[in-house]
Structure formats: structure tokens, C-alpha cells
Amino acid sequence: MTVPSRPASSVRLRLGEYSGASGSARPLDGAWWPRSYDLTAELPGLLAALPHRWGHITSVLVNGGMWSLSGDGMLIDDQWVHARGTDSARAGHTVCLLSPGQGRWDLLVVPPAATDAEAERLMDTATGGSGTDPAQS
């Protein structure tokens, strides 16, 4: 079964100005504010909202203690995406996205229960205050 994508315009995502630039000193490429910790429900919308230059994301690594995962991945828009959970402290509140031949991107995950003000502050911090909404690019 293919998981349908949420419209990119409804995804709360902000990318840093130099997101995905090789050699970037900034440890995060952006911030994502999902509506829940259900990866099956949230991941399709996130992937649909990412810039095309990031390529096809084939693997996702999340904090296994925070996200609900079923199986080792899911079919999104007719393409398999591997999903793994880790209990590593390094994973923390981030999601790691991998695209073979394109790169790796790390996004801060803003807690779904965050208020608008908290989410705005966290997203600004993650993007250095210069973030862009990919749906508006």
C-alpha cells in the first residue's frame, strides 16, 4: 500500500539558507514541526515538501523512543523509503534524511505539542534566523 503525500503547503518546514551546502559549518539543515510522532502519517508530507535538488530520500533515521515506527519502511509515492529508529543520544530531536549520491540532511524536530511561539523560536534557532519555507520558494 502506498502512503499518500500530504500537500507540501501544509507541512511546517523551514530550511536554512545554506541547507545542503557541502562544507557548511551549520550542524542543522533546517527544522520540521510535525503534527504527531507517527512517522507513517508525517513522513510523506515532509518528503513532498523537500527541495527537488535533495533528490529521492531513500532512508530516514529518527529517535526510536519518540517516533512510532512500523516495519522497516514504507512505500511513499511508489518509492520505498527505509525508516530506522535509534536510541542514540545523537539522534535527539532530529530526523536524518539520506539520498544516495545527493547527500545527508539533518532537521531539528520541533515537538508536535509546541506552541506557535515555541515552534517559531526553535525553527529560527535551527536555521540561524534566515530560514525559508520550501513551499514558498
Side-chain angles (χ1 to χ4, degrees), residues 46-99:
L46 171 63
L47 297 184
L50 295 175
H52 291 287
R53 65 181 159 79
W54 285 21
H56 170 63
I57 303 297
T58 60
S59 297
V60 176
L61 180 65
V62 295
N63 182 325
M66 294 170 50
W67 290 91
S68 65
L69 298 167
S70 58
D72 69 343
M74 64 191 84
L75 195 60
I76 300 175
D77 292 333
D78 296 324
Q79 296 190 15
W80 187 256
V81 178
H82 293 275
R84 289 188 306 137
T86 180
D87 58 3
S88 166
R90 186 171 180 198
H93 292 279
T94 62
V95 60
C96 174
L97 307 168
L98 301 170
S99 176

Side-chain angles (χ1 to χ4, degrees), residues 11 14 18-19 22 25 42 44 47 51 66 72 75 108 110 115 117 124 132:
V11 176
R14 190 174 305 163
Y18 299 107
S19 179
S22 61
E42 300 294 336
L47 297 184
M66 294 170 50
D72 69 343
L75 195 60
L108 172 75
V110 175
T115 65
D124 273 352
T132 60

